[in-house]
Amino acid sequence: MNSTSVLHISPDTITFRDVNIGETETASLHVLNTGTLPVKFRFILSNSSQFKLSKDGLFTVPPGLEVIEKIKFTAPDLHKYSDIIKIDSSSGTASVPIVAYPPSPRIIVDKPHIELSKVSVNTDTKFQFNLTNLGVTDAQFSISFTESSIQLSPLEGNLSPTSTITINGVFSPKKVDVFDTTIEVDCINIMEPLPPIKFTASSVNNSLSFLQNNKPVQELDFKSIFFGQKRTITTTLVNNSQTKKSFIIIPPQDPTSKNISAKTMVFLPEPSEGIINPFGSLDVSFTYMPKSELQDHPPDDDFEYKYTHLSSIEVVES
């Protein structure tokens, strides 16, 4: 707890970093009276504390004003030290942790949460994050994770002070699932461990899918029409992935026919190719225009014919 009912105390934690043997560092602690009456309080440290207060005794802070206390730390060796400073007042007691670190590596990550959203099954989705050493000594790091669909490179290395390294990742889900896991970054002699990097994603069967009336569709039924007429059904082609996709729709063909020509095409997609932005959509129309060798010379009797054609779509990342 870093405040009372009327005293606002900052910062939440006092941290001394990279303090060498014999060096002295000073940090400030602010106590602001947000009430309407003066408040009396005192700072309390443990008797064995390695941290020192610049002032001691009972303080009175008027409304709207603050008291600034200076906390000093002199490093006796290269160990980590910690304590809690208490602010005891008539309005309650607050506590502020204090910690001091010797010279050491300190790694930060630019993306504490990697979120890939919808990813296609059996498709490689690339991602990356950066590690930076803000410490004053080299950081020998290693990376570990348990999710088999993740690949990272490099998995270990050495970061000199102030340097940054890019970790390249590939996510290749093998089944439809929801993924919620972590990536751990460890470092030798690190005093402030890096919290696990959160990794979330969901996988879908296809990067592109067709919708009709906002529902997934795999078959279009044009019903019955006369030769020479045409009927159009409009669908929505949706990009379920986070990357731009280029597509080509192969015109539907009779799977039993060996001859594929413009004359045999009775279902025409429009557009038949294009680009869809990440998580974008595009209207695609399929037009049914039945043709027949008998169309130019129709027979006297009724003539019926059923077309069952198959189409496919080729997809590439742009």
Side-chain angles (χ1 to χ4, degrees), residues 50-291:
Q50 291 290 331
F51 304 94
K52 304 299 180 183
L53 299 171
S54 60
K55 296 185 284 289
D56 199 1
L58 192 64
F59 298 90
T60 300
V61 55
L65 297 182
E66 69 175 6
V67 169
I68 301 176
E69 173 67 19
K70 300 291 186 180
I71 295 93
K72 294 183 178 181
F73 172 73
T74 301
D77 49 41
L78 295 180
H79 292 105
K80 170 186 171 182
Y81 287 91
S82 62
D83 202 346
I84 293 177
I85 183 171
K86 294 183 178 180
I87 299 90
D88 192 14
S89 72
S90 55
S91 64
T93 300
S95 299
V96 176
I98 311 174
V99 61
Y101 299 109
S104 59
R106 182 164 67 97
I107 293 179
I108 63 169
V109 62
D110 65 333
K111 297 176 182 177
H113 184 188
I114 298 170
E115 186 176 9
L116 298 186
S117 190
K118 294 181 179 179
V119 175
S120 300
V121 171
N122 295 320
T123 299
D124 291 346
T125 300
K126 297 180 180 179
F127 64 94
Q128 60 181 209
F129 57 91
N130 295 323
L131 300 177
T132 300
N133 181 11
L134 296 183
V136 296
T137 62
D138 285 1
Q140 297 182 35
F141 70 89
S142 60
I143 301 175
S144 61
F145 49 91
T146 58
E147 176 53 57
S148 60
S149 299
I150 298 175
Q151 299 177 31
L152 295 176
S153 179
L155 288 176
E156 58 184 23
N158 185 80
L159 272 175
S160 58
T162 72
S163 64
T164 298
I165 189 171
T166 297
I167 308 299
N168 295 299
V170 178
F171 180 58
S172 306
K174 304 302 181 186
K175 62 179 180 178
V176 175
D177 206 347
V178 175
F179 299 83
D180 189 347
T181 186
T182 57
I183 298 172
E184 306 281 344
V185 180
D186 196 11
C187 179
I188 297 176
N189 296 327
I190 196 167
M191 294 289 177
E192 300 175 80
L194 182 69
I197 301 170
K198 188 174 180 61
F199 180 96
T200 56
S202 60
S203 55
V204 295
N205 272 324
N206 299 295
S207 59
L208 298 185
S209 59
F210 281 102
L211 301 181
Q212 186 181 14
N213 298 324
N214 294 322
K215 295 181 179 179
V217 62
Q218 294 182 325
E219 180 181 287
L220 299 178
D221 186 356
F222 288 85
K223 307 297 183 183
S224 297
I225 64 173
F226 291 104
F227 286 107
Q229 293 181 327
K230 66 178 181 179
R231 179 170 292 161
T232 298
I233 294 179
T234 300
T235 65
T236 302
L237 184 60
V238 178
N239 182 1
N240 297 309
S241 72
Q242 61 178 2
T243 57
K244 186 183 294 184
K245 301 288 184 181
S246 297
F247 70 91
I248 299 176
I249 301 175
I250 307 302
Q253 293 290 334
D254 184 350
T256 64
S257 175
K258 296 182 179 180
N259 297 320
I260 299 177
S261 64
K263 186 176 180 180
T264 64
M265 296 180 185
V266 296
F267 300 96
L268 297 178
E270 177 63 34
S272 60
E273 60 182 62
I275 297 176
I276 306 183
N277 289 324
F279 306 113
S281 62
L282 177 70
D283 285 345
V284 176
S285 298
F286 288 86
T287 300
Y288 172 41
M289 296 185 297
K291 301 177 182 179

